[in-house]
Amino acid sequence: MTEITGRTRVFAILADPIAQVKAPQGLNRVMAERGVDGVMVPLHVAAADLATVVAGLRATRSFGGAIVTVPHKTAIVPLLDAVSDAARLVGAVNAVRREPDGRLVGEILDGAGFVAGLRAAGHDPRGASAYLAGAGGAANAIAFALAEAGVCRLTVHNRTPARVEDLFSRLRRLHPGLPLAFGTDPAGHDLVVNATSLGLRPDDPLPLDPAGLGTGQLVAEIIMQPAKTPLLAAAAARGCRTHPGLPMLEGQLALMADFLEMRAPGR
């Protein structure tokens, strides 16, 4: 990390809880490699305080932008001045850039990062049947990315079926031929993805019934800490291949840095 001075641009990650985040380590490394005079710090922000914090960051001239994670990806959208077309369709953002005039602009990179992480590990989702647990901000982004990547069908489960139907209505605009279903059983799917926050805390229930898991399936997480979540442990015990959450971040670090304009002067 560069020495912090009065010229240093400050970036943040907004989350609750915050101890599990890995973006500061990754993006501080990227900025050091690029020769950027900047630093990313974690900000523990409760849902009730998000609007207040965003207003403060907007007025902070040395603030360059933020990474946004659980539980703020959807809630932050109406607090921004503009979002990309992709973020508008998904209904969530995970990166926010502060423009010189104080405007806040949002982008969603989770889906691209998740698919990039899968492919980097040798798992191409094209032609696979996919089961997705969750219909929040990250889940929406991953659903669109899996559809774009060419999965042959997509099953989604969420405690609130109306959120799944809303996701499906938006997916059908871009992918009208993709078979979509609401379901609770991951059996019969090639790829099973936990896109919820269940697994962050030791007392969390599993996001799906592991009885439906078996040999031949790939079970993937978006949770980065712990690296081996209870779901991944249960999946491995049933003979599944597993894919942890960290590759999703690694797959989008450069995208995040570029969107946040983390570059040295003259580059």
Side-chain angles (χ1 to χ4, degrees):
M1 189 191 308
T2 186
E3 181 182 11
I4 297 175
T5 71
R7 297 180 183 275
T8 302
R9 292 176 74 205
V10 179
F11 300 89
I13 179 165
L14 313 180
D16 181 22
I18 195 82
Q20 78 286 352
V21 298
K22 301 293 186 183
Q25 299 94 307
L27 287 170
N28 282 324
R29 184 182 68 248
V30 170
M31 284 189 280
E33 292 169 351
R34 294 184 177 189
V36 176
D37 185 3
V39 61
M40 173 165 280
V41 296
L43 296 183
H44 191 174
V45 180
D49 299 322
L50 181 63
T52 301
V53 171
V54 169
L57 293 176
R58 180 193 298 277
T60 304
R61 296 188 180 187
S62 58
F63 172 68
I67 300 303
V68 183
T69 188
V70 175
H72 305 310
K73 294 181 182 182
T74 300
I76 201 170
V77 172
L79 303 177
L80 305 179
D81 298 294
V83 299
S84 69
D85 290 341
R88 184 176 300 105
L89 195 58
V90 169
V93 305
N94 75 321
V96 175
R97 183 177 67 238
R98 183 190 184 278
E99 303 288 11
D101 62 1
R103 295 173 66 252
L104 299 179
V105 179
E107 179 62 279
I108 185 69
L109 302 168
D110 275 335
F114 179 77
V115 170
L118 281 180
R119 288 175 171 155
H123 309 303
D124 190 344
R126 183 169 298 279
S129 56
Y131 177 96
L132 182 66
N140 272 251
I142 290 169
F144 276 91
L146 289 175
E148 183 66 27
V151 296
C152 67
R153 65 185 173 99
L154 178 64
T155 302
V156 179
H157 174 66
N158 187 262
R159 290 171 296 182
T160 308
R163 298 189 71 175
V164 179
E165 285 304 319
D166 177 62
L167 168 59
F168 286 173
S169 69
R170 287 177 282 117
L171 272 170
R172 291 187 184 103
R173 298 176 202 169
L174 291 186
H175 305 280
L178 178 63
L180 302 171
F182 178 90
T184 60
D185 189 356
H189 295 82
D190 303 309
L191 172 64
V192 177
V193 183
N194 175 32
T196 77
S197 62
L198 294 176
L200 277 175
R201 299 171 176 84
D203 58 348
D204 281 345
L206 290 177
L208 53 88
D209 185 354
L213 302 177
T215 303
Q217 290 179 303
L218 174 65
V219 179
E221 270 284 7
I222 68 167
I223 291 172
M224 287 172 269
Q225 185 66 34
K228 188 174 185 179
T229 63
L231 174 63
L232 293 186
R238 298 186 68 83
C240 301
R241 296 169 294 152
T242 61
H243 179 79
L246 186 58
M248 181 172 115
L249 173 63
E250 294 171 338
Q252 58 183 316
L253 280 176
L255 299 175
M256 288 175 167
D258 289 344
F259 176 74
L260 294 176
E261 298 182 347
M262 292 176 171
R263 52 179 178 262
R267 295 180 61 182

